[in-house]
């Protein structure tokens, strides 16, 4: 922690020396973004008050952070270079990281049943699920059936849409059922610990390896960040070597 504090102070002093200090416009912009993370200005003020932080202290802290960021952009960013050969080499060496498993896009309708529910309650819920499944199989609009009948608050208002997911993302009975469907197919009533589900498969995407062109920018960003970290450490070390640091602890 002490080393980090010293590094920040050295960087801030160098930012002042090289005139990369934050402008008022930059501070105003970041201050507005900070406030925007709260539901209201009153909530922001209350939170800062509870932490014992004043507006002046916040703006001063932002000024230091932005000044250091400006300095690093000036000193480090121009040195960040990753050639195509390095990108290709990383892609080949980490091929397993770019593999995508089979995925599906599906919707469901949940008739919820508590795990401790009695048999009468479970039977009634299953009968409702069977009725909904019959309607879905007959061609009735699945999204409307979900909005009307589903007990899943996360997907109900979206017509039961769950989006894309892979096998391990769902509990096994649900996963087994949806991956066994053909495109456009509707499952039977599927029982899980959450209750009874009726599932519709919209699309099935086979496993694939992401092509280099698709991940090139991500690889470049990752390698440049690694470079920036290494160059940043070296830059701080150089500042420390040329500075007089006294620690009174």
């Amino acid at each position: 922690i002490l080393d980090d504090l010293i590094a920040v102070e050295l960087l801030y002093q160098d930012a002042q020396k090289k005139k990369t200090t934050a402008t008022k416009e930059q501070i105003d912009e970041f201050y507005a973004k900070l406030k925007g993370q709260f539901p209201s200005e009153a909530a922001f003020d209350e939170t800062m008050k509870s932490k014992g932080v004043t507006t002046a202290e916040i703006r001063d802290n932002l000024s230091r952070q932005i000044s250091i960021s400006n300095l690093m952009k000036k000193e480090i960013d121009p040195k960040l270079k990753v050639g195509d050969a390095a990108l290709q080499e990383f892609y080949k060496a980490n091929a397993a990281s770019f593999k995508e498993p089979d995925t599906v896009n599906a919707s469901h309708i949940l008739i919820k049943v508590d795990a401790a529910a009695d048999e009468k309650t479970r039977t009634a819920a299953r009968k409702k699920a069977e009725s909904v499944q019959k309607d879905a199989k007959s061609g009735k609009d699945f999204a409307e059936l979900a909005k009307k009948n589903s007990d899943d608050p996360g997907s109900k208002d979206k017509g039961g849409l769950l989006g894309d997911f892979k096998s391990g993302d769902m509990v096994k009975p649900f996963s087994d059922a949806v991956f066994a469907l053909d495109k456009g197919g509707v499952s039977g009533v599927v029982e899980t610990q959450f209750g009874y589900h009726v599932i519709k498969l919209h699309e099935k995407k086979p496993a694939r390896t992401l092509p280099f062109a698709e991940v090139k920018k991500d690889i470049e960003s990752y390698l440049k960040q690694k470079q920036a970290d290494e160059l940043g450490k070296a830059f701080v070390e150089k500042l420390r070597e040329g500075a007089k640091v006294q620690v009174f602890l």
Side-chain angles (χ1 to χ4, degrees):
I1 293 172
L2 181 60
D3 283 342
D4 287 344
L5 290 171
I6 292 170
V8 168
E9 183 58 33
L10 289 171
L11 287 167
Y12 182 59
Q13 287 184 15
D14 200 50
Q16 291 176 306
K17 179 182 175 182
K18 293 175 179 173
K19 302 188 185 306
T20 64
T21 48
T23 64
K24 180 181 181 301
E25 289 74 20
Q26 286 180 312
I27 298 170
D28 289 344
E29 179 186 349
F30 278 81
Y31 186 73
K33 285 180 180 178
L34 179 62
K35 289 177 71 174
Q37 295 174 14
F38 293 80
S40 66
E41 189 166 345
F44 171 77
D45 291 339
E46 184 61 34
T47 301
M48 294 305 108
K49 184 178 178 182
S50 68
K51 293 178 180 293
V53 181
T54 66
T55 298
E57 288 171 333
I58 297 170
R59 291 181 68 88
D60 181 63
N61 189 44
L62 286 173
S63 176
R64 292 173 71 88
Q65 290 179 39
I66 296 166
S67 297
I68 291 170
S69 178
N70 291 345
L71 173 68
M72 300 307 276
K73 285 177 183 176
K74 178 182 178 180
E75 295 289 337
I76 304 299
D77 285 8
K79 300 175 184 176
L80 301 179
K81 290 182 176 61
V82 181
D84 199 63
L87 298 176
Q88 290 276 8
E89 183 181 347
F90 184 90
Y91 178 74
K92 291 174 183 176
N94 296 275
S97 302
F98 303 111
K99 289 183 178 180
E100 284 188 343
D102 292 337
T103 59
V104 293
N105 184 288
S107 296
H108 83 137
I109 297 167
L110 169 66
I111 308 302
K112 191 175 180 180
V113 183
D114 189 272
D118 57 31
E119 194 58 35
K120 182 179 178 181
T121 302
R122 300 190 72 82
T123 299
R126 185 173 183 91
K127 283 185 177 179
K128 182 178 179 182
E130 289 171 348
S131 175
V132 169
Q133 192 267 353
K134 185 178 178 181
D135 286 341
K137 277 281 192 180
S138 71
K140 289 189 177 180
D141 187 278
F142 195 90
E144 290 304 315
L145 288 172
K147 289 176 182 178
K148 182 179 178 182
N149 298 283
S150 185
D151 295 321
D152 177 12
S155 68
K156 177 176 181 174
D157 292 339
K158 296 183 287 186
L161 186 63
L162 295 168
D164 293 344
F165 57 90
K166 58 184 184 291
S167 178
D169 292 342
M170 301 294 178
V171 292
K172 192 174 187 306
F174 189 103
S175 185
D176 289 347
V178 70
F179 275 87
L181 291 171
D182 293 323
K183 183 177 179 179
V186 176
S187 72
V189 174
V190 179
E191 183 177 358
T192 72
Q193 65 261 45
F194 306 108
Y196 299 103
H197 308 257
V198 179
I199 311 164
K200 181 170 183 176
L201 177 68
H202 302 302
E203 189 177 4
K204 187 179 289 184
K205 301 175 185 176
R208 67 170 185 145
T209 298
L210 296 170
F212 175 70
E214 196 171 320
V215 296
K216 182 179 178 180
K217 285 187 177 180
D218 291 333
I219 296 173
E220 185 176 17
S221 295
Y222 173 75
L223 292 180
K224 279 189 173 181
Q225 185 56 56
K226 282 192 70 177
Q227 274 191 0
D229 291 343
E230 291 167 3
L231 290 170
K233 288 177 183 177
F235 183 69
V236 170
E237 189 58 36
K238 187 175 180 180
L239 288 178
R240 186 156 188 161
E241 288 173 1
K244 182 180 179 181
V245 178
Q246 288 180 284
V247 179
F248 300 98
L249 286 177

